[in-house]
Amino acid sequence: MYANDFNGEIVINKESQVIEFIRNRPAFNANQFIFTFEGSGAPQLCAFVRDDYCVLYFLDAEQKGTFASYGDDNIRDETVTFYEDVHGAEVVLASTMVITVKQMTDACTEFFKTKTRPTCIKWMEL
């Protein structure tokens, strides 16, 4: 699997490498991860992470849709700010999409194993 984050791209061959990779938070206690298997870029799983907040996006390989994680909305604010790069470029996302770090970890490892949209979290179609 190809994995990209604030530090660049690497190849991941084992589930343990996925877990280690997503622990990396080099700037603002944050990172953005992109996982894919093919040169076309799909299927693709993208994760924004900051502190204990995470948002996932999934792009289907057959162009069957784009999905965002759907959280339990235990956050009081309507939006959460994430970072797109180490320089502090921000992206503001709806708090309804926020999931836990544990849920993100489970979803990323499931994607690594199945190459399909993870079933361990709830999704909303965009």
Side-chain angles (χ1 to χ4, degrees):
M1 176 168 76
Y2 300 104
N4 198 332
D5 73 352
F6 287 175
N7 295 321
E9 185 175 295
I10 67 166
V11 175
I12 291 179
N13 297 306
K14 298 184 294 188
E15 183 178 334
S16 62
Q17 291 174 303
V18 174
I19 295 167
E20 185 62 31
F21 185 74
I22 60 178
R23 286 184 183 150
N24 187 22
R25 312 281 165 72
F28 316 105
N29 198 28
N31 210 335
Q32 177 189 14
F33 306 107
I34 301 171
F35 300 103
T36 190
F37 294 93
E38 304 295 331
S40 67
Q44 183 181 94
L45 184 67
C46 178
F48 288 97
V49 183
R50 192 193 95 221
D51 300 325
D52 296 327
Y53 299 131
C54 307
V55 171
L56 295 180
Y57 287 97
F58 180 80
L59 174 64
D60 193 280
E62 283 88 37
Q63 312 295 316
K64 293 182 181 177
T66 303
F67 301 85
S69 53
Y70 185 78
D72 293 330
D73 196 20
N74 292 329
I75 303 170
R76 292 186 183 148
D77 297 328
E78 291 183 18
T79 62
V80 177
T81 301
F82 293 90
Y83 298 97
E84 294 181 306
D85 59 35
V86 295
H87 305 292
E90 296 179 344
V91 59
V92 179
L93 302 173
S95 63
T96 56
M97 297 188 294
V98 172
I99 60 174
T100 67
V101 170
K102 167 100 170 76
Q103 289 172 306
M104 178 200 66
T105 301
D106 292 347
C108 290
T109 56
E110 182 179 337
F111 180 68
F112 174 77
K113 292 178 200 174
T114 67
K115 299 182 183 181
T116 61
R117 181 166 38 114
T119 59
C120 61
I121 65 168
K122 296 176 189 173
W123 295 95
M124 63 176 135
E125 190 165 5
L126 301 177

